[in-house]
Amino acid sequence: MNRIIEPIAPPGVHEKVFALALALSGTTVLDVPAGYGALTEKLLAAGKKVTAGDIDTGKFKGSRSHPGLTLIRLDLNETLPLPDNQFDVAVSVEGIEHLQSQWTFVRNIHRVLKPGGYLVITTPNILNIRSRLRYFMEGRYEHFKRPLVKGKSWQSDLENYHISPISFFELQFMLESCSLAVQNVYSSKSKAKNILTRLLKPLFTLFYSNKNYRDKKRNRGDHSDLYKIVMSDEVFFGECLVVVAQKKAASLQRT
């Protein structure tokens, strides 16, 4: 019997990641951080063999006795005690923005994926128009609204708050540098999609077009493909980024 477990993620994120994970080939899945186990439970019910990892496995509410489940304590800031080339798919829902060592995490994911395996990763989208406007006014991104101050911030914020905002610019560079080729970019849902923001979008598009023109003229590279993704509705309006990346099959690149 399937349990109903409340996901630790904004609405729509789990549903999107689950659909993407099911569409990818393979049966072995790494779910990190697993949280309460909402996504793990769905993957197990769909016939996947899941290794669920989290720094606090005590909060896992899924069926711990399921024959397809391996539940393990993992600190995602450190080297993962998992074999190389083990998983067909890795899913990471709303985790990387909590980490102090994001590069270590991505390198670990690359190592434990099989050649040709996939990562589906989500994170708050700090490049959407609402987050850009908040940063202009407050110096803080959407989903990173409150500054952390030792001795003054809420204890729950100090223990659980987002500490490492990462935009698509940095995320794609990190993934590609670790031999994980970005395949597709989605979002969980759109917000602030109104007349004002629709009028602003062409201005941003023009800005990036001009910037790319100047970079090309100065032999600093053509980034038009990247800017096209950044100005897509998924990134310009989307609440959370959902990125699918694939481990390069025969890559021996050191990162």
Side-chain angles (χ1 to χ4, degrees):
M1 183 178 69
N2 292 342
R3 300 166 183 257
I4 299 176
I5 302 172
E6 190 70 22
I8 311 176
V13 175
H14 269 219
E15 292 78 2
K16 187 67 178 181
V17 172
F18 178 62
L20 290 169
L22 285 190
L24 298 172
S25 60
T27 58
T28 56
V29 180
L30 175 66
D31 180 11
V32 287
Y36 295 153
L39 185 57
T40 294
E41 195 81 353
K42 292 178 181 178
L43 291 166
L44 290 170
K48 303 294 185 181
K49 184 177 180 182
V50 183
T51 296
D54 201 283
I55 197 167
D56 181 9
T57 56
K59 65 187 179 186
F60 189 83
K61 299 179 181 179
S63 178
R64 293 173 180 250
S65 61
H66 194 289
L69 172 67
T70 300
L71 180 62
I72 182 172
R73 183 191 179 278
L74 294 176
D75 184 341
L76 302 183
N77 288 298
E78 300 176 356
T79 300
L80 302 183
L82 298 168
D84 296 357
N85 307 318
Q86 183 178 2
F87 300 100
D88 298 303
V89 178
V91 294
S92 181
V93 176
E94 303 300 285
I96 194 169
E97 66 276 4
H98 293 271
L99 302 181
Q100 298 174 2
S101 303
Q102 295 176 329
W103 281 86
T104 297
F105 171 65
V106 174
R107 291 189 184 104
N108 271 307
I109 293 297
H110 174 268
R111 179 180 61 79
V112 302
L113 278 176
K114 296 177 182 178
Y118 289 90
L119 166 66
V120 183
I121 184 169
T122 84
T123 193
N125 177 22
I126 63 172
L127 284 183
N128 70 31
I129 183 60
R130 189 170 70 162
S131 186
R132 290 174 186 244
L133 293 174
R134 180 180 290 279
Y135 190 86
F136 176 75
M137 295 299 296
E138 297 183 11
R140 304 287 303 175
Y141 296 110
E142 192 74 13
H143 299 287
F144 299 81
K145 300 176 184 178
R146 295 183 295 278
L148 294 178
V149 181
K150 295 293 290 184
K152 293 184 178 180
S153 297
W154 293 350
Q155 190 60 35
S156 60
D157 278 359
L158 293 173
E159 294 173 353
N160 304 305
Y161 200 51
H162 299 167
I163 61 171
S164 302
I166 181 169
S167 77
F168 181 73
F169 286 117
E170 287 75 38
L171 181 59
Q172 66 83 29
F173 177 71
M174 193 179 296
L175 294 171
E176 297 280 355
S177 297
C178 295
S179 296
L180 290 162
V182 173
Q183 301 294 306
N184 288 292
V185 181
Y186 306 93
S187 64
S188 58
K189 62 179 179 177
S190 296
K191 281 199 172 182
K193 203 171 185 180
N194 52 44
I195 294 176
L196 174 61
T197 57
R198 286 185 178 278
L199 289 174
L200 286 173
K201 187 178 179 184
L203 296 178
F204 278 84
T205 301
L206 181 62
F207 170 83
Y208 283 124
S209 178
N210 181 60
K211 180 176 177 58
N212 196 59
Y213 169 78
R214 288 185 283 111
D215 283 344
K216 287 169 61 179
K217 190 175 181 179
R218 298 170 184 173
N219 295 316
R220 294 178 178 175
D222 181 357
H223 303 102
S224 54
D225 289 343
L226 177 57
Y227 292 142
K228 184 177 180 180
I229 295 173
V230 169
M231 288 310 303
S232 66
D233 279 2
E234 285 78 9
V235 180
F236 196 74
F237 295 112
E239 186 74 3
C240 290
L241 284 181
V242 182
V243 178
V244 179
Q246 185 177 27
K247 179 175 178 177
K248 298 175 183 178
S251 175
L252 297 177
Q253 179 180 340
R254 297 187 64 173
T255 58

